[in-house]
Each structure stands twice: as C-alpha cells, then as structure tokens.
Amino acid sequence: MADEVALLSFWPSMFGNRVKIALALKGIEYEFKEENLRDKNPLLLEMNPINKKIPVLVHNGKPICESLLIIEYIDEVWNQKSPLLPTDPYQKSQAKFWADYIDKKLPATGKEIWSTNGEEQENAKKNFIEILKVLEGELGEKPYFGGDQFGFVDLALIPFYSWFYGYETFGNFSIEEECPKIVAWANKCMEIGSIAQSLPDPKKVYEFVSVIKGWLGIK
C-alpha cells in the first residue's frame, strides 16, 4: 500500500516551504492543500486543533505539526535518500540548536522590518543584520551549514531567502552589502533544482506582504 501524504500550507510560508523542500529532496509524492489563513479550512482545524496553524503534514491520516518536527519526521521515515540531520549525536544537537535559533530570531525580526517605520524599523534592520552575521559566523568557510552537503540548518534558513527582497524593499537596505556570505550561500542553495522549484518568486512574496500591510492599515 502506497503512502498517502498531504501538506497543508500557504504558498508564501517559509515554514511550509521548508517541508516542501524536504519532500522534494526525498522524492516523495504528496498532495498540496492550499490554506486560506483568513478562513481556516475545517481539515486544518481537525489536523492541528491545538495551534490551528500551518504547516501540517498528514501521513496516512496522521498529522505532524511544526515545521522542524515535520522535517525530522520526514528524515526518519524516508531515510533512504538525502539525509538532512547528522547521525552523530553532538552534530545533531548543534543542527537543532541553530535551527531553533533561526526560528526564535528571524521571523519576528523580519516582520518588524515590513510592519514598522522610523526608529523602530531601523532597530529591526540592525537586529536582522546582527542575526545574519551570527549565522555567517556559524557557516564559516563551509559551502553549507551542514558541511559539504545541504542539511537541516540550511533547510531551516533557505525559505527566508524568498522574503529578502521584501525586507530590503520595505526597509530600504541591502542584505548582500551587509552579509555577502549569507547571500552567496543562498545562491548556492538555489542551484539545487528541488530547492529553487519549491520556493516562491521573491517579488510575489513582496506583493503579498504589500497586501497584508494594506489589510493591517500599515503605511
């Protein structure tokens, strides 16, 4: 019996796009169910009744929630191809640490760039660059955070690249000027077909955020 796999997500979501990339790298066929976050589908509420958030992976009727947990699940279940987490316990703990660092720092700071103005926005840009510089330090001279191969931390970070254009445009700054190593790393990741094909057009993400700003009355 073939696995039944579905992904409940929303096209610009960096968290959902992590899962899309993981599924693509593993070569897993799945059904993508686009969610409307302003009018949540009953299936989403049924599959994630606690947080009521995307993404949710549904594997043979069983839901798995939270993007990093989903990726770990995918890596363990479909372990014949494209390993994402190291097998060494220490290296695995470090990969999880940096993925958690990304989740605790980048989403909220990125949102502050497009949702604020003036001094508050300047502080958000400063904090955003500082976070990326910390990540540049961890990347070092390696081609990927995972070393020679694209791995868990790379997967946690690369979907944010689709949002960089929006952050730069709304914040009137250049990420590449401040953090060239991160942008070079992102461009290298985008040379992998499964990754490039899984991520949305940065300009469409920018247009989406412009609509959100309008809904929220942010100038």
Side-chain angles (χ1 to χ4, degrees), residues 97-130:
F97 171 86
W98 285 108
D100 182 64
Y101 175 85
I102 290 165
D103 271 8
K104 285 178 176 174
K105 299 286 187 177
L106 272 188
T109 309
K111 183 179 180 181
E112 286 177 0
I113 292 173
W114 61 259
S115 64
T116 61
N117 294 290
E119 185 177 350
E120 194 172 355
Q121 185 185 64
E122 290 301 314
N123 287 334
K125 290 192 293 184
K126 178 183 176 183
N127 291 337
F128 189 82
I129 293 301
E130 286 178 354

Side-chain angles (χ1 to χ4, degrees), residues 28-142:
I28 302 164
E29 293 186 6
Y30 67 98
E31 181 181 1
F32 183 82
K33 294 180 180 288
E34 182 78 24
E35 291 296 321
N36 180 350
L37 300 188
R38 299 187 83 190
D39 183 18
K40 295 183 179 180
N41 191 306
L43 180 61
L44 174 62
L45 301 180
E46 177 188 348
M47 292 291 130
N48 191 359
I50 305 301
N51 293 330
K52 303 177 177 64
K53 292 180 179 180
I54 57 153
V56 179
L57 184 77
V58 185
H59 181 208
N60 294 332
K62 296 179 180 179
I64 304 95
C65 307
E66 301 296 330
S67 65
L68 295 179
L69 297 179
I70 294 171
I71 292 166
E72 189 171 357
Y73 177 87
I74 289 170
D75 201 38
E76 291 183 4
V77 172
W78 293 280
N79 57 13
Q80 302 89 353
K81 179 182 177 182
S82 301
L84 298 170
L85 273 162
T87 55
D88 177 79
Y90 177 75
Q91 291 179 355
K92 183 182 291 188
S93 74
Q94 295 307 293
K96 290 183 177 183
F97 171 86
W98 285 108
D100 182 64
Y101 175 85
I102 290 165
D103 271 8
K104 285 178 176 174
K105 299 286 187 177
L106 272 188
T109 309
K111 183 179 180 181
E112 286 177 0
I113 292 173
W114 61 259
S115 64
T116 61
N117 294 290
E119 185 177 350
E120 194 172 355
Q121 185 185 64
E122 290 301 314
N123 287 334
K125 290 192 293 184
K126 178 183 176 183
N127 291 337
F128 189 82
I129 293 301
E130 286 178 354
I131 294 163
L132 292 185
K133 285 187 179 296
V134 169
L135 290 169
E136 282 190 327
E138 170 58 19
L139 178 63
E141 301 305 318
K142 304 188 297 289

Side-chain angles (χ1 to χ4, degrees), residues 170-185:
F170 290 118
N172 191 29
F173 72 119
S174 168
I175 294 173
E176 186 169 20
E177 284 183 9
E178 300 284 350
C179 301
K181 190 179 288 187
I182 282 290
V183 173
W185 159 85

